[in-house]
């Protein structure tokens, strides 16, 4: 668990940083498995998803424990997670990478959006995916699935360490989601990654401009020629990056 609190400054920086840049910087620090596999946006959003993780763990459903009557219980973990995920945080669900049943639907996800949550991520399915995609709040899933969660999943634990898409997610970790998918940044590295990636994004924008202008990639990316480094420094001064 972490006492880390995502600052407005770091959040704003991460909003401008791609998951690809984050993956590269985490790789440089020895972290190779931070991209949630098999998860895509329900619908692309103009702005990246950024927030700290609030987790929900599902286990395989057992028929005698998961009838429709369980939803009458006000302490049902799925419902409690939806109502207690803090504003600005992201509900991350561990469905064991099984998308054959939904882990939430449009009503529950809409409730989270109304409450001010920053997003929702599941390595399982969502039902009513079209409605979820119409929300402003980002949502990531393994695919649409009409069957209720009770057919395959039992919601059990709230805000504990989980696995999502093959990645360990601890409460308080920082998630960044874009059109490629979702990266998980360990909380203690979030500020550092945001700062370093800001410079990396500037360099890659410079490189893209050079490539579009016809510059060969060798010696440019990575930058191994002094002339290209000088061009980049001049570009940064010109653009204020």
């Amino acid at each position: 668990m972490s006492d880390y609190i995502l600052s407005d400054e770091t959040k704003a920086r991460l909003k401008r940083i791609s998951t690809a840049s984050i993956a590269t910087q985490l790789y440089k620090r020895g972290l190779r498995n931070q991209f949630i596999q098999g998860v895509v946006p329900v619908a692309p959003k103009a702005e990246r998803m950024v927030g700290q993780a609030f987790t929900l763990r599902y286990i395989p459903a057992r028929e005698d424990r998961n009838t429709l009557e369980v939803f009458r219980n006000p302490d049902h973990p799925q419902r409690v997670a939806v109502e207690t995920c803090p504003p600005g945080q992201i509900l991350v669900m561990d469905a064991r990478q099984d998308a054959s049943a939904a882990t939430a639907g449009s009503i529950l996800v809409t409730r989270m959006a109304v409450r001010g949550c920053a997003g929702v991520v599941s390595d399982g399915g969502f039902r009513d995916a079209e409605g979820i995609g119409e929300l402003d709040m980002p949502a990531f899933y393994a695919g649409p699935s009409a069957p209720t969660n009770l057919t395959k999943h039992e919601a059990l634990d709230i805000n504990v360490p989980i696995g999502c898409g093959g990645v360990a997610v601890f409460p308080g970790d920082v998630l960044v989601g874009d059109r490629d998918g979702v990266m998980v940044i360990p909380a203690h590295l979030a500020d550092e990654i945001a700062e370093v990636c800001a410079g990396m994004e500037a360099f890659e924008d410079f490189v893209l401009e050079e490539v579009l202008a016809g510059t060969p990639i060798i010696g440019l990316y990575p930058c191994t020629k002094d002339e290209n480094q000088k061009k980049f420094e001049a570009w940064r001064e010109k653009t204020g990056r």
Side-chain angles (χ1 to χ4, degrees):
M1 301 299 179
S2 173
D3 295 328
Y4 174 82
I5 297 176
L6 179 65
S7 69
D8 290 341
E9 179 182 4
T10 294
K11 182 177 180 179
R13 281 179 168 175
L14 291 173
K15 286 273 189 182
R16 300 191 296 269
I17 295 169
S18 70
T19 53
S21 293
I22 293 168
T24 298
Q25 289 302 321
L26 289 174
Y27 178 79
K28 287 182 178 181
R29 289 156 179 78
L31 295 167
R32 303 184 178 191
N33 186 42
Q34 300 303 120
F35 184 71
I36 297 179
Q37 297 293 330
V39 166
V40 296
V42 176
K45 304 299 179 187
E47 191 174 76
R48 290 185 177 91
M49 177 186 72
V50 178
Q52 291 185 260
F54 184 89
T55 64
L56 173 64
R57 184 172 76 97
Y58 285 100
I59 64 170
R62 200 176 75 187
E63 287 76 5
D64 63 330
R65 289 177 54 89
N66 290 276
T67 67
L68 284 173
E69 294 300 310
V70 301
F71 287 143
R72 294 181 177 273
N73 179 4
D75 295 323
H76 187 270
Q78 184 202 43
R79 268 50 178 178
V80 172
V82 167
E83 291 293 340
T84 58
C85 180
Q89 294 196 13
I90 298 166
L91 180 60
V92 188
M93 302 185 200
D94 174 4
R96 310 172 317 284
Q97 297 178 278
D98 183 352
S100 61
T103 52
S106 63
I107 291 176
L108 298 187
V109 177
T110 298
R111 173 60 181 160
M112 293 178 57
V114 169
R115 293 189 56 251
C117 297
V120 58
V121 179
S122 173
D123 63 1
F126 287 154
R127 66 198 311 194
D128 310 313
E130 183 177 359
I132 292 172
E134 291 172 353
L135 298 171
D136 290 336
M137 186 185 76
F140 293 79
Y141 68 159
S145 187
T148 176
N149 65 315
L150 300 175
T151 62
K152 289 293 183 73
H153 310 301
E154 177 178 344
L156 193 68
D157 294 319
I158 296 174
N159 223 28
V160 299
I162 63 169
C164 185
V167 178
V169 181
F170 292 83
D173 282 349
V174 177
L175 274 66
V176 177
D178 60 17
R179 296 188 182 206
D180 284 351
V182 181
M183 287 296 300
V184 180
I185 307 173
H188 69 281
L189 290 175
D191 294 343
E192 177 185 337
I193 293 295
E195 183 176 356
V196 172
C197 282
M200 181 178 174
E201 289 277 311
F203 176 67
E204 292 194 347
D205 287 346
F206 160 75
V207 168
L208 188 57
E209 286 188 18
E210 289 293 304
V211 169
L212 288 170
T215 303
I217 204 71
I218 296 172
L220 173 66
Y221 190 71
C223 189
T224 56
K225 291 184 177 179
D226 289 343
E227 62 190 80
N228 287 326
Q229 181 62 37
K230 290 176 182 177
K231 286 172 71 175
F232 174 53
E233 290 169 0
W235 179 91
R236 293 194 78 173
E237 185 174 345
K238 178 183 176 182
T239 62
R241 299 282 298 279

